[in-house]
Amino acid sequence: MYYGLSNFYQNHRRYVKSRDDSQLNGDNSSLLNPSKECEPYRTNEDKPIAPCGAIANSMFNDTLKLYRIDNDTRTPITLIKKGIAWWTDKNVKFRNPTGDGNNLTALFQGTTKPVNWPKPVYMLDPAEPDNNGFINEDFIVWMRTAALPTFRKLYRLIERKNNLQPTLQAGKYSLDIAYNYPVHSFDGRKRMILSTISWMGGKNPFLGIAYITVGSICFFLGVVLLFIHHKYGNRNTSADIPN
């Protein structure tokens, strides 16, 4: 399950730079003294923002729930929230600050939440210590900026229970959305996408179409150049110089 946004320019130069990678990597000094690249989302009410920057401040926070409807009975579809982030991001680039104990509330003491967030970073998933704080996978997925203004990001996984049956059988489904993320201010649109993924990622015909198109153009140009070479290449272009 993906969520998609349109007309959202995550590739803007100032937006892409508005983060502190040292802070996100768990550096204690950067936690209390974020990079100036995060301005104007570096501090709030004289407290450093954790995580700082425009990327973190604009994190997508709608909640999506999927139900199957059988005889007017709604059965929730199990959505897996772990395993959606890249391994290198989860285990290398993003780390929580270190200190005495594993109490994130104490480790983030002296900081404040991003301006647009309803709750601090150490409350993103308090029930799962390995998915809370800077290593929350929803947060990590959002922080990997998109190259185009229309994009989608992995939200949840729906695991197949039986290899003989499709993951989502044909039938009626309903989608419940907790609307927290406004898009009217930038004339955007939100989408929910269901797709089958493999070890190579989701199904996307773009690369196949691009390869066939470029290959066809190269083949056509090769034929044209071969024709020109055979027709004009053997001519003696050197002029006889009289003595």
Side-chain angles (χ1 to χ4, degrees):
M1 177 186 285
Y2 296 84
Y3 63 86
L5 288 175
S6 298
N7 205 36
F8 192 105
Y9 288 83
Q10 273 200 317
N11 57 356
H12 191 282
R13 182 181 63 85
R14 289 189 62 189
Y15 182 90
V16 171
K17 293 175 63 179
S18 186
R19 60 189 293 165
D20 188 340
D21 288 322
S22 295
Q23 185 191 60
L24 298 174
N25 195 242
D27 183 72
N28 291 335
S29 60
S30 297
L31 180 69
L32 300 176
N33 186 25
S35 169
K36 294 182 180 179
E37 296 285 359
C38 289
E39 294 288 0
Y41 302 105
R42 181 173 177 264
T43 60
N44 186 31
E45 297 179 352
D46 296 328
K47 288 186 177 181
I49 295 176
C52 71
I55 306 177
N57 187 63
S58 59
M59 177 181 168
F60 183 85
N61 63 341
D62 279 3
T63 301
L64 309 178
K65 295 181 180 180
L66 188 64
Y67 297 88
R68 178 178 171 85
I69 303 176
D70 290 312
N71 299 323
D72 296 330
T73 300
R74 299 206 317 167
T75 304
I77 303 298
T78 302
L79 303 178
I80 302 172
K81 60 186 176 182
K82 293 183 180 180
I84 61 175
W86 289 20
W87 186 92
T88 51
D89 289 347
K90 174 77 173 180
N91 296 279
V92 179
K93 294 183 179 181
F94 290 80
R95 295 178 182 175
N96 283 321
T98 57
D100 295 333
N102 296 319
N103 188 347
L104 287 185
T105 304
L107 294 175
F108 282 97
Q109 187 175 8
T111 66
T112 186
K113 66 179 182 64
V115 178
N116 289 345
W117 284 26
K119 54 188 176 183
V121 67
Y122 52 82
M123 292 296 292
L124 289 178
D125 194 358
E128 299 283 350
D130 60 342
N131 192 43
N132 199 16
F134 288 159
I135 58 174
N136 176 265
E137 296 204 25
D138 286 325
F139 172 66
I140 294 174
V141 169
W142 177 258
M143 292 299 292
R144 181 169 284 277
T145 54
L148 300 174
T150 298
F151 60 86
R152 67 182 185 179
K153 292 179 182 286
L154 189 57
Y155 180 71
R156 292 293 183 266
L157 300 174
I158 305 175
E159 189 174 6
R160 176 179 291 183
K161 297 181 180 180
N162 186 348
N163 291 330
L164 300 178
Q165 298 291 336
T167 306
L168 293 177
Q169 299 183 18
K172 292 183 178 180
Y173 293 84
S174 67
L175 178 68
D176 286 4
I177 304 172
Y179 191 99
N180 301 313
Y181 199 80
V183 295
H184 297 292
S185 60
F186 56 90
D187 296 327
R189 297 187 66 183
K190 294 188 287 188
R191 309 181 308 282
M192 187 277 286
I193 305 105
L194 293 174
S195 175
T196 302
I197 62 173
S198 65
W199 65 272
M200 295 182 66
K203 291 184 178 179
N204 190 337
F206 173 77
L207 279 180
I209 295 173
Y211 288 155
I212 292 174
T213 302
V214 174
S216 301
I217 293 173
C218 292
F219 178 77
F220 174 75
L221 291 177
V223 172
V224 171
L225 293 174
L226 183 63
F227 173 78
I228 294 174
H229 174 73
H230 277 284
K231 187 172 183 179
Y232 302 103
N234 295 327
R235 288 187 174 183
N236 187 7
T237 56
S238 61
D240 293 334
I241 301 175
N243 293 327

